[in-house]
């Protein structure tokens, strides 16, 4: 009896949302004045907050002096902002390279005269290829030596990360060899039998070695590697061994993976694991 009474009271306290049926059809009841007032109040508060945020927007307080001060005090971000706007215009107005045409490469245009000259001198091409291979050997010996001789694994870890990522990207997107490629049996990989174009492992490994030299304050070696790397870039463009984008990303990859290797070392040290003992 008490349970029935409780259910009866509960049902009678519920506010009906529909009127009693008329000819079997229910009619929706209109909202009460209190409900309408609550909705109006909530909407007004929301609109007021929006207007408050807009009226206090940071850019509304800018002046011409602020813009000039930004350009003067922060020239690098300001220059990048200008470059974004410039290249937006370039990108949306540029004529795309047809699918039947070879890729356009500004580095190839800049080294066109050197390419024509080297194409007529195969012996010089072989000599330069051999010297470049020696430089690759120097990079490899230094990067491995920092770990196996000096017990500092960061450069070796960087190279492992870098070449693994290069292998994945190089296989995923296999770019065509440039039509004017000047190969040589003295180049590395020997004979240019097969290699990934994107990105340049030559350039990235040189950057990794140079960064390690600078950390150890071996400035003369570091600057020598940087100079040789620049000559390597010029040669690879001249022989069409890499596209410009391969070389530019190679520089970025060297910096990136050196940083990641440093973070890896730091994380391992926090966990009480020495990279000298366990990689």
């Amino acid at each position: 009896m008490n349970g029935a009474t409780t259910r009866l009271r509960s049902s009678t306290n519920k506010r009906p949302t529909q009127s009693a049926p008329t000819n079997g059809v229910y009619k929706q009841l209109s909202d009460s004045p209190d409900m309408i007032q609550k909705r109006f109040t909530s909407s007004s508060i929301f609109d007021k907050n929006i207007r408050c945020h807009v009226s206090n927007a940071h850019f509304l307080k800018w002046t011409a002096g602020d813009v000039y001060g930004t350009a003067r005090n922060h020239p690098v971000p300001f220059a990048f902002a200008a470059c974004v706007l410039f290249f937006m215009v370039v990108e949306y107005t540029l004529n795309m390279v047809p699918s039947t045409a070879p890729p356009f490469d500004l580095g190839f245009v800049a080294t066109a005269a050197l390419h024509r000259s080297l194409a007529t001198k195969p012996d010089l091409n072989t000599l330069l290829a051999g010297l470049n291979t020696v430089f690759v050997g120097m990079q490899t010996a230094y990067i491995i030596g920092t770990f196996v001789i000096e017990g500092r694994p960061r450069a070796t870890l960087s190279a492992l990360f870098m070449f693994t990522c290069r292998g994945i990207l190089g296989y995923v997107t296999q770019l065509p060899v440039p039509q004017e490629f000047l190969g040589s049996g003295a180049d590395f990989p020997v004979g240019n039998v097969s290699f990934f174009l994107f990105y340049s492992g030559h350039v990235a490994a040189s950057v990794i070695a140079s960064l390690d030299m600078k950390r150890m304050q071996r400035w003369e070696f570091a600057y020598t590697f940087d100079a040789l790397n620049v000559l390597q870039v010029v040669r690879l463009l001249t022989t069409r061994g890499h596209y410009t984008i391969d070389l530019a990303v190679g520089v970025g990859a060297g910096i990136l993976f050196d940083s990641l290797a440093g973070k890896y070392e730091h994380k391992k040290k926090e966990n009480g694991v020495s990279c000298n003992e366990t990689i």
Side-chain angles (χ1 to χ4, degrees):
M1 186 68 178
N2 291 338
T5 305
T6 302
R7 287 195 297 271
L8 179 61
R9 289 176 180 175
S10 175
S11 63
T12 56
N13 289 336
K14 292 181 180 179
R15 184 176 174 224
T17 58
Q18 292 178 324
S19 63
T22 303
N23 297 328
V25 179
Y26 283 89
K27 293 183 180 180
Q28 188 70 28
L29 292 176
S30 60
D31 290 332
S32 67
D34 291 341
M35 183 62 69
I36 295 175
Q37 181 64 29
K38 288 181 180 179
R39 290 180 180 176
F40 178 77
T41 303
S42 299
S43 177
S44 299
I45 294 174
F46 178 76
D47 292 341
K48 184 178 180 180
N49 289 333
I50 292 295
R51 288 195 299 270
C52 180
H53 281 85
V54 171
S55 62
N56 293 326
H58 181 58
F59 75 92
L60 293 177
K61 303 174 185 178
W62 293 355
T63 64
D66 293 331
V67 176
Y68 173 74
T70 301
R72 182 186 60 189
N73 299 322
H74 307 281
V76 174
F78 191 85
F80 275 107
C83 286
V84 169
L85 297 177
F86 171 76
F87 284 110
M88 285 177 64
V89 175
V90 171
E91 180 179 5
Y92 299 142
T93 59
L94 190 68
N95 292 325
M96 299 289 288
V97 177
S99 58
T100 56
F104 172 78
D105 192 298
L106 196 58
F108 289 3
V109 175
T111 58
L114 292 174
H115 175 80
R116 289 192 298 269
S117 176
L118 196 61
T120 61
K121 301 178 178 65
D123 292 339
L124 178 59
N125 182 37
T126 299
L127 174 62
L128 295 176
L131 292 174
N132 204 155
T133 299
V134 171
F135 181 47
V136 172
M138 293 166 58
Q139 301 169 20
T140 305
Y142 180 85
I143 290 172
I144 295 176
T146 57
F147 177 50
V148 299
I149 297 176
E150 299 181 18
R152 297 185 299 103
R154 178 166 173 173
T156 307
L157 288 170
S158 303
L160 292 175
F161 294 164
M162 182 272 291
F163 279 111
T164 299
C165 185
R166 177 179 179 270
I168 294 171
L169 295 177
Y171 184 80
V172 168
T173 302
Q174 302 179 33
L175 299 174
V177 176
Q179 295 178 357
E180 299 177 327
F181 173 59
L182 300 176
S184 172
D187 215 337
F188 181 85
V190 178
N192 290 302
V193 177
S194 177
F195 60 95
F196 292 134
L197 283 164
F198 187 84
Y199 41 84
S200 173
H202 290 60
V203 172
S206 180
V207 170
I208 289 172
S210 176
L211 289 173
D212 186 86
M213 292 172 181
K214 291 170 183 172
R215 266 193 306 274
M216 301 303 296
Q217 297 184 357
R218 297 166 177 168
W219 304 111
E220 294 81 3
F221 288 107
Y223 295 147
T224 299
F225 262 56
D226 289 341
L228 291 174
N229 202 12
V230 171
L231 295 176
Q232 176 177 243
V233 166
V234 174
R235 177 191 165 265
L236 290 171
L237 286 174
T238 300
T239 61
R240 308 306 189 241
H242 274 292
Y243 295 104
T244 302
I245 192 172
D246 306 330
L247 304 171
V249 173
V251 174
I255 297 171
L256 171 65
F257 290 110
D258 177 77
S259 175
L260 291 179
K263 294 180 184 298
Y264 177 86
E265 274 192 322
H266 180 71
K267 187 66 175 179
K268 286 297 181 180
K269 288 178 182 178
E270 286 184 342
N271 295 334
V273 178
S274 173
C275 289
N276 294 337
E277 298 174 359
T278 305
I279 297 182

